[in-house]
Structures are given as structure tokens and as C-alpha cells.
């Protein structure tokens, strides 16, 4: 009881501090201001008699994990309203207009008063939390109200507070879920080590999400014109550390390869810097019309929303973030059955760890290792196919988490 009291004091202090920081920080301002609209939005979109299902995600990555479940819920339970909450502005601001949910909001802070108000309005028949999200007051109230609550695509490591001697309060909160769908056996074993036995190994729902990409129309006219049946390397979500290596290689290679660079940062000043550093023929997506792209060597994608389809044209992919900021999504290119190159920092990304071990994802640590790897791949087309097959098979073998979760949900609703 004392720890819960202390936790509530700390949450309220944190909220006050964030409101002060919001005066000087644009992202925190979104975090604070966006939460002022949560309750009005809920009251506008929901009626007291509505049957609802609530899913909470932290940010964009967790949204992608929750999306296959939301889509199946929409199809199977059309009479229910779906409420989707985000913790982070980087997720909410991108997906606030998604049609997959009836109402999309920022999650109110985990204070006693805000939690009760949120649950009084939403009154879900089921609550779904994705991956890491464990909020003590929400879980306490959900349990108190006998609202079934599950954690999906969860992954646990020994470093987390639940498995430390001083983690009793958070361990108690974690224990309030009705069921846990974890990504691997290690996570299940860790839960059992703290006497949580109601878990199932379901894998990562993102694999269901990316496997569905193959069923869509991924054709892009400008990519047809640009690739022109040549080998193509697509570098997605790149950061300056990645771009330096890519640009150095592009400038000096004599191989007949087309290159697409889709930077994480698409501000004009950053795009200008990449473009000016290239010594080959380069075009930006924003400049494209009906130009003849056959002789263009490099295409810079200075917009968002196209990368997944562009990966379908790649013979090889480079996924950025592995040198500094955190590795980006490797599963989107993997589904197309192509080799994937990443930077050296991929620990904690289960799918990347798995595929590095299997040989489908190849980490590089320097300019020299990237140059050598590209030489090996380009001189051995058969190895490109064999390495790519590893990635495609991994997704095909490990998909199905969403159906396992839906079978459980069907017993509740």
C-alpha cells in the first residue's frame, strides 16, 4: 500500500515536471498538450452503452505489433468499438487518424484519478497491452473491475526490474495480467521464475503483419522505371552513420547496381547534404515526374510511406540505425526474401538476433566490412538468393501469433 501511495506521488510530480519541460521542448509539448484532448475525444466518440475493446501501445513499433490483432478484432467483432491509446507522440502523431480504431488517444498518465476516469468512460470488455507496457494503476483497476487483460508480443530479459530483488512492486503489477503471449521460451521461463505460469509462446505478431505485405499490390511506376531490371540495393531508415558508409561505397563502386536511400530524417537540409555528397547521377522522389530514370544511379526518397513497397524491388537491403540510434524494422525487407545488411548494434532485437545467427541478416562494423560484403554478394548471385531464402523462411515459419491470440480472445468475448 505504501509503495502504491509513493508511486502515485511520483507520477503526479512527473506530470508537473513534464508540463514545465513542455514549455521548452516540442516533443514533450505534444506529449502534454495531446493528453488534454484525451477525455473530450473519448466522450465524443463513445456512448455509455457501447461495447468496447481497448488496446494500448507505447509507440509506432508496438502499433505495428498490435495492428494484426486490431484488424482481426475489427473483422470478427464489428459491433465493438476499438479504442487505441499511445504513450509516445512519435506513435500517436503518425497514427492518430488510422481507421483501424474508432478512437485514437494519448494514454492519460497512470495516476489514480486519471485511470479511474479513463476506465469509467471506456469500460472495455477486454484490455490488450503490447510488448513492454506495464502501468501499475491501470492494471490494478482493471483487475479490480474484473476486466480481462492480456499482454501480447511480450519479451522479457533478466535486466528488467521484475526479475530484480528490489522489483517487488512492479512484479506485483506485472502479475495482474490474465494471460501473457510471449515471443520466446526464454521469456516464458523468466515469468515462471517469478511464479507467473499463465503464459503462451506465441511469437511476434509483426511477422503476421509483414507476411500480409506479400498479398498487396506493391507496384510503383517510378521504381519500375528506375530499376530497369538491374540489381538494386534499398537502404531504409538510414542515419548519418549509415549514410556515410553508403555514400562512400556508391561513389567508388564500378558495379552495375542501382541504389535507393530512404533516410530516417527527411528535412530538406539533410536531403541536400546526402545529394551533394554523391558523385553519381541522383534524383529525389519529390522531383520526379515522367523523367527517364534508366540512367539514374541513386534515388533519394524524401517522403514517408513508400519504403515497404520499395523493398519489394530490392535484391539486397540495408536497414539503418545499427550504428547509433537503435535498429529499425528488418522484417519488412525480410519478407521479400532478400539479404539484409545492418550495423553492429542489434542486441535486444530478437528477430535480428535470430537472423544474424541463421545468416539471413549480416552485420557490418566498418566501411571496409561493408565494401567486402558487397563485393562478395555481387560476385555470387546464388548466395544472394540463398541468404534471402533464410529470411523469407523465417517469417513463414514463425508467423501465426495473431491467430493464437484471437483463439484466446474468442473464449472471452
Amino acid at each position: 500500500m505504501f509503495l502504491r501511495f509513493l508511486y502515485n506521488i511520483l507520477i503526479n510530480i512527473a506530470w508537473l515536471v513534464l508540463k514545465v519541460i513542455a514549455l521548452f521542448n516540442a516533443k514533450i509539448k505534444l506529449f502534454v498538450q495531446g493528453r488534454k484532448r484525451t477525455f473530450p475525444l473519448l466522450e465524443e466518440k463513445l456512448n455509455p452503452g457501447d461495447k468496447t475493446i481497448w488496446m494500448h501501445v507505447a509507440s509506432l513499433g508496438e502499433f505495428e505489433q498490435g495492428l494484426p490483432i486490431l484488424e482481426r478484432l475489427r473483422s470478427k467483432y464489428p459491433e465493438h468499438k476499438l479504442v487505441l491509446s499511445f504513450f509516445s507522440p512519435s506513435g500517436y502523431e503518425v497514427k492518430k487518424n488510422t481507421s483501424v480504431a474508432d478512437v485514437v488517444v494519448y494514454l492519460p498518465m497512470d495516476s489514480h484519478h486519471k485511470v479511474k476516469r479513463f476506465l469509467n468512460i471506456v469500460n472495455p470488455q477486454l484490455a490488450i497491452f503490447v510488448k513492454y507496457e506495464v502501468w501499475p494503476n491501470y492494471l490494478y483497476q482493471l483487475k479490480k473491475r474484473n476486466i480481462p487483460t492480456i499482454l501480447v508480443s511480450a519479451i522479457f530479459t533478466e535486466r528488467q526490474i521484475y526479475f530484480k530483488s528490489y522489483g517487488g512492486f512492479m512484479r506485483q503489477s506485472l502479475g495482474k495480467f490474465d494471460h501473457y503471449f510471449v515471443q520466446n521460451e526464454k521469456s516464458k521461463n523468466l515469468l515462471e521464475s517469478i511464479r507467473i505460469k499463465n503464459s503462451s509462446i506465441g511469437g511476434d505478431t509483426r511477422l503476421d503483419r509483414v507476411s500480409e505485405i506479400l498479398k498487396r499490390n506493391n507496384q510503383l511506376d517510378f521504381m519500375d522505371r528506375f530499376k530497369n531490371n538491374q540489381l538494386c540495393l534499398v537502404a531504409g531508415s538510414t542515419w548519418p552513420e549509415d549514410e556515410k558508409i553508403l555514400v562512400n561505397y556508391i561513389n567508388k563502386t564500378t558495379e552495375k547496381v542501382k541504389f535507393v536511400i530512404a533516410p530516417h530524417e527527411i528535412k530538406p537540409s539533410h536531403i541536400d547534404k546526402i545529394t551533394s555528397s554523391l558523385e553519381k547521377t541522383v534524383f529525389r522522389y519529390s522531383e520526379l515526374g515522367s523523367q527517364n530514370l534508366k540512367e539514374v544511379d541513386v534515388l533519394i526518397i524524401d517522403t514517408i510511406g513508400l519504403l515497404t513497397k520499395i523493398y519489394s524491388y530490392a535484391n539486397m537491403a540495408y536497414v539503418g540505425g545499427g550504428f547509433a540510434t537503435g535498429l529499425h524494422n528488418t522484417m519488412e525487407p525480410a519478407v521479400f526474401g532478400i539479404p539484409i545488411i545492418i550495423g553492429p548494434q542489434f542486441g535486444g532485437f530478437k528477430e535480428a538476433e535470430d537472423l544474424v545467427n541463421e545468416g539471413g541478416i549480416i552485420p557490418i562494423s566498418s566501411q571496409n566490412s561493408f565494401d567486402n560484403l558487397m563485393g562478395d554478394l555481387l560476385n555470387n548471385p546464388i548466395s544472394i538468393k540463398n541468404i534471402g531464402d533464410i529470411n523469407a523462411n523465417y517469417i513463414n515459419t514463425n508467423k501465426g501469433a495473431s491467430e493464437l491470440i484471437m483463439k484466446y480472445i474468442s473464449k472471452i468475448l
Side-chain angles (χ1 to χ4, degrees):
M1 186 66 72
F2 171 74
L3 288 177
R4 184 172 301 282
F5 174 74
L6 180 61
Y7 174 79
N8 277 296
I9 291 175
L10 293 174
I11 282 288
N12 287 316
I13 291 173
W15 181 239
L16 291 174
V17 171
L18 286 167
K19 289 203 286 188
V20 173
I21 297 174
L23 299 173
F24 313 98
N25 184 291
K27 185 173 182 180
I28 299 301
K29 184 177 181 180
L30 288 172
F31 182 97
V32 171
Q33 295 295 327
R35 281 168 166 77
K36 292 182 179 179
R37 296 191 293 273
T38 292
F39 291 121
L41 266 174
L42 290 172
E43 289 166 346
E44 175 190 341
K45 299 284 187 179
L46 299 178
N47 299 310
D50 288 338
K51 294 189 289 185
T52 65
I53 300 170
W54 168 39
M55 175 179 284
H56 174 63
V57 301
S59 193
L60 205 52
E62 292 77 17
F63 170 79
E64 291 297 330
Q65 289 176 306
L67 186 56
I69 302 168
L70 285 171
E71 290 173 337
R72 286 165 173 78
L73 288 170
R74 173 68 83 202
S75 175
K76 188 168 183 178
Y77 302 102
E79 72 280 7
H80 284 70
K81 287 190 175 179
L82 302 183
V83 177
L84 174 65
S85 62
F86 283 89
F87 182 77
S88 166
S90 57
Y92 176 82
E93 297 300 329
V94 175
K95 294 297 180 180
K96 60 186 176 183
N97 295 317
T98 179
S99 60
V100 76
D102 295 283
V103 54
V104 184
V105 295
Y106 277 102
L107 181 74
M109 292 293 284
D110 191 34
S111 66
H112 180 72
H113 172 72
K114 287 184 173 66
V115 167
K116 289 184 73 173
R117 185 179 176 188
F118 179 88
L119 292 178
N120 285 343
I121 298 172
V122 177
N123 191 28
Q125 289 189 310
L126 170 68
I128 306 169
F129 288 60
V130 179
K131 197 173 184 178
Y132 293 130
E133 292 298 274
V134 176
W135 293 104
N137 279 325
Y138 279 102
L139 291 169
Y140 175 79
Q141 283 293 326
L142 286 164
K143 193 73 171 178
K144 187 177 179 180
R145 297 170 188 229
N146 294 314
I147 296 170
T149 306
I150 62 176
L151 184 65
V152 303
S153 286
I155 191 161
F156 295 100
T157 69
E158 299 92 337
R159 298 188 301 272
Q160 291 170 305
I161 191 172
Y162 319 113
F163 311 107
K164 304 294 185 182
S165 59
Y166 51 81
F169 175 67
M170 290 303 294
R171 197 157 47 241
Q172 185 182 56
S173 299
L174 178 66
K176 296 194 182 301
F177 286 102
D178 291 285
H179 202 81
Y180 310 75
F181 292 91
V182 297
Q183 292 190 32
N184 54 25
E185 188 171 358
K186 180 181 178 181
S187 294
K188 183 177 176 66
N189 291 338
L190 281 169
L191 287 177
E192 290 178 352
S193 75
I194 56 172
R195 300 180 181 178
I196 293 176
K197 300 186 183 299
N198 48 328
S199 66
S200 304
I201 301 173
D204 189 343
T205 49
R206 281 185 305 166
L207 301 185
D208 299 330
R209 169 71 172 152
V210 297
S211 67
E212 291 166 1
I213 292 171
L214 295 177
K215 303 173 186 177
R216 303 175 191 169
N217 179 6
N218 291 302
Q219 193 266 337
L220 294 167
D221 177 66
F222 73 90
M223 282 301 300
D224 289 326
R225 292 186 284 124
F226 171 72
K227 185 175 179 180
N228 193 33
N229 296 317
Q230 294 188 51
L231 285 174
C232 180
L233 181 141
V234 174
S237 304
T238 57
W239 289 77
E241 296 86 353
D242 307 300
E243 290 150 10
K244 181 179 179 181
I245 288 174
L246 290 162
V247 167
N248 285 341
Y249 177 80
I250 293 169
N251 284 341
K252 66 188 176 187
T253 187
T254 58
E255 299 284 356
K256 290 290 185 182
V257 183
K258 296 271 191 166
F259 298 91
V260 178
I261 301 176
H264 175 77
E265 176 60 73
I266 58 171
K267 287 182 179 178
S269 59
H270 185 64
I271 299 298
D272 288 343
K273 185 176 180 180
I274 298 173
T275 304
S276 63
S277 66
L278 286 161
E279 299 170 5
K280 301 287 180 74
T281 308
V282 57
F283 260 96
R284 307 179 194 203
Y285 173 79
S286 60
E287 298 173 339
L288 295 182
S290 58
Q291 293 98 334
N292 182 352
L293 298 177
K294 291 181 181 180
E295 304 304 320
V296 175
D297 299 302
V298 187
L299 190 58
I300 307 294
I301 307 301
D302 53 352
T303 188
I304 60 173
L306 293 175
L307 182 56
T308 302
K309 288 188 174 185
I310 292 172
Y311 277 136
S312 72
Y313 288 84
N315 300 97
M316 301 160 284
Y318 180 102
V319 175
F323 274 94
T325 60
L327 186 64
H328 286 272
N329 191 340
T330 55
M331 293 297 93
E332 286 187 354
V335 75
F336 294 109
I338 56 176
I340 298 168
I341 306 167
I342 61 173
Q345 298 175 29
F346 57 88
F349 296 88
K350 179 185 178 296
E351 66 283 353
E353 291 176 345
D354 289 347
L355 284 170
V356 167
N357 289 334
E358 293 186 24
I361 292 180
I362 307 165
I364 54 109
S365 58
S366 65
Q367 183 74 57
N368 190 54
S369 61
F370 179 75
D371 294 350
N372 290 337
L373 174 58
M374 287 297 293
D376 292 342
L377 290 172
L378 295 174
N379 289 322
N380 191 352
I382 294 176
S383 74
I384 292 178
K385 181 182 185 307
N386 291 341
I387 294 169
D389 286 346
I390 293 171
N391 293 330
N393 291 337
Y394 176 85
I395 290 177
N396 193 51
T397 301
N398 290 284
K399 66 183 181 181
S402 301
E403 295 307 320
L404 179 67
I405 294 165
M406 288 302 296
K407 284 181 182 178
Y408 179 89
I409 290 173
S410 67
K411 297 175 184 177
I412 299 171
L413 297 179

